[in-house]
Amino acid sequence: MMKLQMINATAARIRCSNTQNITQSTRHLTTACSNALNKFRGAIEDYRVAHYKQEMPSRCRKDVIKAAAKGRDGVITIDGIEKMLV
């Protein structure tokens, strides 16, 4: 039941990510990349809400970065992100 609620929350966030929470940055991203980034941020936020309820949001960010950069001196690679997500 909890997984279904989390999936529904993620789906709702993805649906509204096209109209809200548009990435504002100095980098020039394609629309597809911007949408993917917003979906990734939404998934990370859902994970943070479910697993870091009593922690500061910065603690979750640090743990995610640490997991994605494991053994690479703080450099995050695509492989690190894929390993973290699986």
Side-chain angles (χ1 to χ4, degrees):
M1 186 70 155
M2 176 89 163
K3 287 184 180 181
L4 181 61
Q5 290 173 340
M6 187 180 279
I7 290 170
N8 287 336
T10 301
R13 180 172 279 118
I14 290 170
R15 279 193 293 277
C16 74
S17 72
N18 292 333
T19 57
Q20 296 176 353
N21 303 326
I22 302 294
T23 303
Q24 300 283 330
S25 69
T26 57
R27 292 177 279 161
H28 298 287
L29 302 174
T30 64
T31 303
C33 184
S34 178
N35 289 340
L37 182 59
N38 285 329
K39 289 177 186 178
F40 180 72
R41 285 181 177 161
I44 294 295
E45 179 64 16
D46 289 342
Y47 181 82
R48 185 192 68 79
V49 168
H51 298 283
Y52 285 80
K53 291 178 184 175
Q54 308 222 342
E55 301 286 338
M56 298 293 288
S58 60
R59 169 58 48 206
C60 180
R61 268 187 245 119
K62 289 175 186 176
D63 288 349
V64 167
I65 291 170
K66 186 177 175 182
K70 196 168 219 165
R72 292 187 179 85
D73 298 325
V75 176
I76 298 174
T77 62
I78 292 173
D79 294 334
I81 294 172
E82 286 177 348
K83 188 180 254 186
M84 180 190 67
L85 293 174
V86 175

